[in-house]
Amino acid sequence: MTMLRLKFHVHRILLAALILGPAAISPPLSAAEKKMTGTGIFISMAGRQVGYEADDPKREMVQWTAIWTFTSSDPDFDGIIETAPTQSICGPGGCRHHGHLTFRHRNGDQSWGYFYGTHEVTAKGDGTWTLSSDGVKVLLGGTGKFANIKGQLKYAAKNVPFGATFNWTGQVDY
């Protein structure tokens, strides 16, 4: 299979996973699954915002790539770096976000998957912003030790400074 066809095939699988949701591809729980908790800590973000001026009421679409580091109760996930290209659409009913993720583990291996959730960004009177967010990160594969990783990490933040931290819990099998 050529590299272009392989890339196309991988993109189709990830797109199907985003559309069908975790119920269609989530692995069954196994006795080998590890339960873990931690915190995601914001490192940086680059992005672009687009408004839909013809809409009434207004919507906005934002795309960015965020980079996070994690603390974890599991040594294999403590200190990982997450790179997460993200798309967000906000409208009168709230904001939804989704994207792909790559975790770079301290041993050099990688794991990857996708995520989705909802969020709300609130402007405060002093010009700062707070964020509330809930979502799920679904892990589908990786390299080395994480080649067959499967699992989910549920994340949440409530009225934290925008881009600061989120807490997570998860069950992962690798």
Side-chain angles (χ1 to χ4, degrees):
M1 187 179 297
T2 69
M3 184 57 102
L4 181 58
R5 292 178 96 190
L6 179 61
K7 279 179 130 178
F8 178 73
H9 183 67
V10 169
H11 286 233
R12 283 185 28 203
I13 290 170
L14 288 174
L15 180 59
L18 285 171
I19 292 170
L20 296 175
I25 60 170
S26 292
L29 297 179
S30 73
E33 270 191 345
K34 293 183 176 188
K35 292 184 178 185
M36 57 185 86
T37 61
T39 301
I41 304 163
F42 177 75
I43 296 176
S44 69
M45 180 186 302
R48 179 168 186 244
Q49 182 171 345
V50 178
Y52 293 91
E53 296 172 8
D55 283 356
D56 190 18
K58 301 286 186 225
R59 296 183 295 151
E60 290 185 331
M61 182 179 82
V62 182
Q63 298 181 116
W64 67 83
T65 298
I67 301 174
W68 302 84
T69 187
F70 280 38
T71 65
S72 177
S73 60
D74 183 315
D76 287 334
F77 279 74
D78 192 47
I80 65 171
I81 301 294
E82 176 189 19
T83 304
T86 306
Q87 184 178 63
S88 167
I89 298 177
C90 296
C95 297
R96 302 190 64 71
H97 60 270
H98 63 269
H100 301 279
L101 64 85
T102 301
F103 290 156
R104 287 176 183 78
H105 298 268
R106 290 188 319 185
N107 71 352
D109 290 339
Q110 295 183 6
S111 53
W112 51 75
Y114 67 95
F115 61 94
Y116 60 93
T118 60
H119 65 279
E120 178 182 0
V121 179
T122 306
K124 295 172 52 178
D126 64 1
T128 61
W129 302 69
T130 61
L131 172 73
S132 294
S133 180
D134 288 293
V136 177
K137 297 177 183 289
V138 179
L139 298 174
L140 300 172
T143 63
K145 182 177 188 172
F146 304 99
N148 296 310
I149 194 168
K150 302 279 186 263
Q152 294 185 359
L153 307 177
K154 294 180 181 180
Y155 58 91
K158 182 73 173 163
N159 293 322
V160 298
F162 182 75
T165 63
F166 60 85
N167 293 316
W168 60 271
T169 61
Q171 293 183 330
V172 178
D173 186 13
Y174 60 95

